Amino acid sequence: MLLLIVLLPLSFLPGESFPSYKYDDMEDAFDYYAATEELEERNASACELCVPETCPPAQGCSAGLVRDSCGCCFECGNLEGQPCDPGDRNVYYGLCGEELVCKTEASPAADGEPQCVCASQEPLCGSDGQTYMNVCKYKQAAFSKPGLSSRVGPCNTVPVIKVPPRNLVNVTGSSAVFLCEVFAFPMALVEWRKEGKEVVLPGDDPHISVQSRGGPQKYELSSWLQIEDATRADSGTYRCTARNDLGNVSVTAVLGILPPDEMSAYLEESMKEMMGYDPIRDYDGEYY
């Protein structure tokens, strides 16, 4: 079947900014500064025709308003965690909204991409009884909850497990580490137990250790359970329990310790499951 591809020139109305798209499907590495220069050149003629009176109203902007790439019209500011343009140049990603700043290394998961980060990380207690970890999250909620008010500091709350331990499978003689990250106010006490046993770990077992410390955020506690030189006897279900005066919450994770031969077979089977999908073989439709 013959495919006909028609290329249409892009046009932009006066005062409109360019769409915030990414070059995720390109093989070459994305050059942010080269892209912004290209977009500025393409947008120059459109900005010359800008008439503020013709600007469309910006609606649903929970992070407030910012100027568009022409500096003519207002548009919605980017929310916390969204990509952004550093400085005051609204060219490619857009500018951060109120109470937000654009940082290049905001999160390890961002791969160096600039992201909007709330300037204040002080938690607030909303009149709805919910803790907002910063003023930006509170304002975003208040936008859709008329009448919402707040006070400084978190609400008294039952512990919340923000990062639960993950199931693990490892070979005998290796180490196994579980992480349990908890938010609570008042601060929570975290305990580890192996199901089927009442003793609080580590007990008197020298190859098991537990470490806890505050963070990574305020009013959070991170606790690690580490098992050294693990054997098959260490296999089982482990429970992380966090409690304070208001209540408690718990979550479990399974540890599997296998001898080398069984571990090899397990890894081989896991690889088959990961690589076994063939998009050509398994596609049920028709190709055009």
Side-chain angles (χ1 to χ4, degrees):
M1 178 181 292
L2 178 61
L3 297 177
L4 177 61
I5 300 176
V6 179
L7 299 178
L8 297 177
L10 296 175
S11 63
F12 296 86
L13 295 175
E16 285 189 335
S17 61
F18 282 79
S20 296
Y21 56 85
K22 300 181 185 179
Y23 289 13
D24 292 337
D25 55 346
M26 298 183 63
E27 294 182 359
D28 298 333
F30 171 63
D31 189 331
Y32 168 79
Y33 294 101
T36 54
E37 290 178 3
E38 177 185 351
L39 290 175
E40 283 182 319
E41 292 176 1
R42 292 171 58 190
N43 207 27
S45 58
C47 291
E48 292 176 358
L49 302 175
C50 175
V51 180
E53 290 76 12
T54 65
C55 292
Q59 299 178 343
C61 302
S62 59
L65 301 174
V66 297
R67 291 286 185 179
D68 65 7
S69 56
C70 291
C72 175
C73 300
F74 283 104
E75 63 182 14
C76 293
N78 291 354
L79 300 171
E80 184 176 22
Q82 289 185 330
C84 53
D85 291 318
D88 57 359
R89 294 172 50 192
N90 185 342
V91 180
Y92 186 73
Y93 291 120
L95 297 178
C96 296
E98 298 173 1
E99 308 283 353
L100 293 155
V101 293
C102 188
K103 292 188 176 182
T104 303
E105 296 181 356
S107 168
D111 296 328
E113 183 179 80
Q115 275 193 350
C116 294
V117 178
C118 195
S120 171
Q121 292 299 320
E122 183 70 25
L124 299 173
C125 177
S127 55
D128 57 355
Q130 181 174 341
T131 295
Y132 297 93
M133 296 311 297
N134 56 51
V135 66
C136 303
K137 294 186 183 300
Y138 164 73
K139 286 190 172 183
Q140 188 175 346
F143 185 82
S144 58
K145 296 181 179 180
L148 182 67
S149 60
S150 68
R151 61 174 174 79
V152 177
C155 305
N156 289 356
T157 179
V158 174
V160 176
I161 296 181
K162 297 185 63 177
V163 179
R166 298 175 179 270
N167 296 337
L168 297 175
V169 177
N170 218 333
V171 68
T172 53
S174 62
S175 296
V177 180
F178 289 120
L179 166 65
C180 191
E181 188 176 303
V182 179
F183 169 83
F185 186 79
M187 289 288 287
L189 171 68
V190 175
E191 296 178 345
W192 292 90
R193 284 182 171 88
K194 184 178 181 182
E195 289 201 347
K197 297 183 178 180
E198 294 299 324
V199 62
V200 176
L201 297 175
D204 58 358
D205 195 326
H207 81 301
I208 297 179
S209 60
V210 173
Q211 295 183 354
S212 299
R213 71 182 183 192
Q217 301 295 333
K218 198 171 183 180
Y219 306 109
E220 290 183 1
L221 181 72
S222 296
S223 183
W224 292 267
L225 170 69
Q226 182 168 351
I227 303 174
E228 297 282 358
D229 297 323
T231 68
R232 299 201 71 164
D234 294 310
S235 297
T237 301
Y238 291 82
R239 180 176 297 273
C240 167
T241 300
R243 60 168 47 88
N244 64 8
D245 295 339
L246 301 176
N248 66 82
V249 63
S250 64
V251 66
T252 61
V254 177
L255 174 64
I257 300 297
L258 304 175
D261 55 339
E262 293 185 23
M263 188 65 183
S264 297
Y266 169 81
L267 293 176
E268 183 178 352
E269 186 64 27
S270 297
M271 290 300 296
K272 286 181 181 179
E273 292 179 2
M274 292 175 58
M275 307 299 293
Y277 173 67
D278 185 336
I280 303 298
R281 180 196 64 205
D282 297 337
Y283 182 68
D284 294 331
E286 298 180 0
Y287 288 95
Y288 296 94

